[in-house]
Amino acid sequence: MTTTPPEHGPPVPNPETPRPEALRESSAPQRPNVHVTALIVWLTIFPLVAITSVVFGPLMAEWHPVLRAFVLTLIVVPIAAYWLMPQMFRWYAALERRRAARNSAKRGP
């Protein structure tokens, strides 16, 4: 007759570990849908491209259009990807958290 050692038995729930449904309720807001994401990207990229092209336009006026676009994207994409886009999505998440808190306060306990 064999017995199963305790370390090989069924898992014992840990009362300190949150349940999956509790994790879903308290987790960060979901990612925005594709339309909101597109709007956030546009609101980030358009002003950055407009400002950069105005600032560097006189310097690049005689350049080939492809070279202008290449240099412009070399400047704009890293700024947008590493600095502005994360900030925009943090602002959006904060807005969504406030909206969720306001809606839960309206519903009551």
Side-chain angles (χ1 to χ4, degrees):
M1 177 149 120
T2 62
T3 60
T4 305
E7 63 268 10
H8 295 292
V12 177
N14 183 351
E16 296 175 15
T17 304
R19 296 181 321 273
E21 58 273 3
L23 286 175
R24 263 185 259 123
E25 294 170 5
S26 66
S27 64
Q30 291 182 344
R31 291 183 64 180
N33 68 35
V34 68
H35 306 297
V36 173
T37 301
L39 178 64
I40 291 171
V41 169
W42 186 83
L43 287 172
T44 303
I45 297 295
F46 175 74
L48 193 57
V49 168
I51 291 168
T52 307
S53 64
V54 166
V55 169
F56 293 108
L59 175 69
M60 300 186 294
E62 302 299 319
W63 295 8
H64 189 276
V66 175
L67 181 60
R68 270 193 309 230
F70 177 73
V71 171
L72 188 67
T73 58
L74 278 177
I75 296 167
V76 167
V77 170
I79 293 170
Y82 295 120
W83 182 51
L84 290 176
M85 294 292 293
Q87 186 61 44
M88 294 289 280
F89 281 103
R90 278 192 292 271
W91 288 339
Y92 177 77
L95 180 69
E96 284 299 307
R97 281 192 300 271
R98 273 183 275 163
R99 183 182 298 161
R102 193 172 0 156
N103 287 343
S104 67
K106 283 182 183 177
R107 280 189 239 136

